Amino acid sequence: MNNIDKQYQALLQDILDNGVKKKDRTGTGTLSVFGRQIRHKMSEGFPLLTTKKMPFKTIVTELLWFLRGDTNIKYLVDNNCHIWDGDAYKNYKTKIENYSNRLNLPDNISEFQGAMDIVSNQIKSHILTQEEFINKIKTDDEFAKKWGELGPIYGKQWRSWKGEYVDKSAEFGVHTAWVPERIDQIANLIRDLKTNPDSRRLMVNAWNVGELDQMTLPPCHYGFQVYTRELNEQERINLLHNKYENKGHHIEAGFNMLDEFDIPTRTISLSWNQRSVDTFLGLPFNIASYALLLEIIAREVNMVPDELIGNLGDVHLYLNHVEQAKEQIGREPFELPRLGMDYREGEYNKNLKDFVPDDFYLTNYQSHQAIKAPLSN
């Protein structure tokens, strides 16, 4: 069953039918609607769109980058993931050009002005192309450290939110050492799911108002919440049947075997909030990324992935994506693939920072060909 492609196609059509033209920071222009929602039952398959070919490994790599707490694109570039190339390059180019412009001095010191104009023009002429920039990120660690950094975006907020200042004098062996407390929201979420799964505070937030001006791009998907419920006895027995029959074994399951075989006692759902939605290029990534995050968290706390929900704010199509959207609307979806996690037996409590892209794979992914569209930065 594939309802997610149908929902996505309906959303594209909704924007085409009801969207209003709006200006945007990129200068491209959009058709925009406000306040939409998508829902997907994870039991129906992994929600990677089939109406155009999607780069699964790229999606996996970006999510693992977030979970590592990383904010530098070098990890992405080294793993052939180029989602953030444009943002990093735009930041680099803008800063170099601004520095060059600051060298221009008032005309009343014309001789010095002329010399500075020469220096300024030399700097501008040596600005790297985006291709050169990305190659230098990959090959020059010092350059990558300086220019690959995007500021305190998703990974920083998920794994190291800057809290109140606390005195670490005793720890550092000095008289006074006031440093900010670092809050690992993902670790806290895992802990709370294990100890208080009915909590209504199972949330992770990336919208840190105090650090927005330090980010290359403020978060588009700015927070998520998870929700769990208890499974009844029959649901757990069905899980036991499926676990072994899918491996080619037949088992007469009974209630007394459920705990022995470590059958989950709860389902877990995830709802994410998104302020700005590039519907053609970005949203398919967001759906699959949060589905993967739900699967990872569910495995970590031994729960069954249930429902994925996206709450979408400004939902838009860039004006140079309209024809591509119409093409995708006309395609018939295939069945959804299934997700595989390549864990060794007993490796269910793997550190969420230690995954590598090859730990995840899809089975039976069939799709239409990709549809190219320009990215607006």
Side-chain angles (χ1 to χ4, degrees), residues 268-306:
I268 181 170
S269 297
L270 184 150
S271 172
W272 88 89
N273 297 311
Q274 192 158 347
R275 65 171 179 86
S276 176
V277 188
D278 175 352
T279 308
F280 188 76
L281 288 180
L283 183 56
F285 276 72
N286 302 136
I287 294 169
S289 181
Y290 275 105
L292 179 58
L293 179 62
L294 175 55
E295 292 274 5
I296 290 172
I297 293 173
R299 176 69 69 88
E300 180 71 12
V301 298
N302 194 26
M303 295 182 187
V304 180
D306 188 9

Side-chain angles (χ1 to χ4, degrees), residues 22-269:
K22 295 188 70 175
K23 298 177 182 178
D24 71 284
R25 65 176 177 82
T26 72
T28 307
T30 67
L31 286 176
S32 171
V33 297
F34 185 66
R36 300 296 189 267
Q37 186 181 78
I38 58 169
R39 306 181 77 102
H40 173 70
K41 294 290 288 185
M42 296 297 291
S43 59
E44 296 176 0
F46 188 79
L48 190 67
L49 295 188
T50 68
T51 44
K52 65 179 177 185
K53 186 174 179 59
M54 296 294 300
F56 178 66
K57 287 297 183 184
T58 296
I59 295 168
V60 172
T61 300
E62 185 196 34
L63 177 62
L64 299 188
W65 181 60
F66 294 159
L67 289 173
R68 285 163 54 92
D70 202 344
T71 57
N72 192 296
I73 67 165
K74 181 166 176 56
Y75 173 86
L76 299 178
V77 171
D78 288 347
N79 284 280
N80 198 32
C81 175
H82 298 285
I83 299 173
W84 288 85
D85 286 5
D87 296 288
Y89 180 68
K90 181 180 179 181
N91 180 56
Y92 154 80
K93 189 177 179 182
T94 299
K95 287 184 176 178
I96 294 295
E97 289 176 343
N98 287 344
Y99 173 74
S100 176
N101 291 335
R102 285 200 300 272
L103 293 175
N104 292 319
L105 300 175
D107 291 336
N108 58 353
I109 46 174
S110 57
E111 185 176 338
F112 192 61
Q113 171 71 51
M116 288 301 97
D117 283 346
I118 292 173
V119 174
S120 176
N121 290 332
Q122 285 177 338
I123 291 173
K124 288 180 179 178
S125 68
H126 283 84
I127 292 177
L128 301 174
T129 65
Q130 183 165 326
E131 182 179 356
E132 291 169 336
F133 173 80
I134 296 304
N135 186 59
K136 200 166 179 64
I137 291 287
K138 193 166 188 176
T139 58
D140 186 332
D141 289 346
E142 286 302 312
F143 182 87
K145 185 177 180 180
K146 180 176 182 179
W147 294 111
E149 180 57 46
L150 299 173
I153 60 170
Y154 300 99
K156 163 70 163 50
Q157 305 305 334
W158 283 16
R159 306 308 306 246
S160 188
W161 180 289
K162 189 176 181 180
E164 292 187 5
Y165 279 78
V166 293
D167 188 0
K168 296 281 188 177
S169 304
E171 182 178 331
F172 295 145
V174 295
H175 182 61
T176 57
W178 289 89
V179 297
E181 181 183 14
R182 295 297 177 179
I183 301 169
D184 187 339
Q185 295 189 81
I186 297 294
N188 290 348
L189 176 66
I190 298 298
R191 179 201 64 210
D192 291 345
L193 279 167
K194 292 178 178 179
T195 59
N196 187 16
D198 284 322
S199 172
R200 296 187 292 269
R201 303 176 183 181
L202 302 171
M203 301 175 64
V204 170
N205 193 0
W207 191 262
N208 188 337
V209 177
E211 295 188 332
L212 292 179
D213 62 345
Q214 301 170 43
M215 303 178 189
T216 299
L217 184 68
C220 293
H221 44 100
Y222 59 87
F224 66 92
Q225 179 178 359
V226 297
Y227 172 93
T228 79
R229 71 166 180 87
E230 289 187 355
L231 290 160
N232 61 43
E233 180 183 324
Q234 187 56 55
E235 287 176 314
R236 295 186 71 204
I237 290 174
N238 292 342
L239 286 173
L240 180 58
H241 273 297
N242 293 337
K243 179 177 180 179
Y244 284 94
E245 289 180 0
N246 287 342
K247 294 181 178 180
H249 304 294
H250 178 71
I251 185 169
E252 293 296 332
F255 177 72
N256 62 334
M257 303 175 65
L258 297 176
D259 292 336
E260 177 184 348
F261 285 90
D262 199 27
I263 299 303
T265 62
R266 286 179 175 265
T267 68
I268 181 170
S269 297

Side-chain angles (χ1 to χ4, degrees), residues 7-23:
Q7 287 185 68
Y8 178 76
Q9 289 171 313
L11 183 59
L12 292 177
Q13 190 65 57
D14 180 12
I15 298 171
L16 293 175
D17 293 342
N18 303 305
V20 297
K21 282 192 175 182
K22 295 188 70 175
K23 298 177 182 178

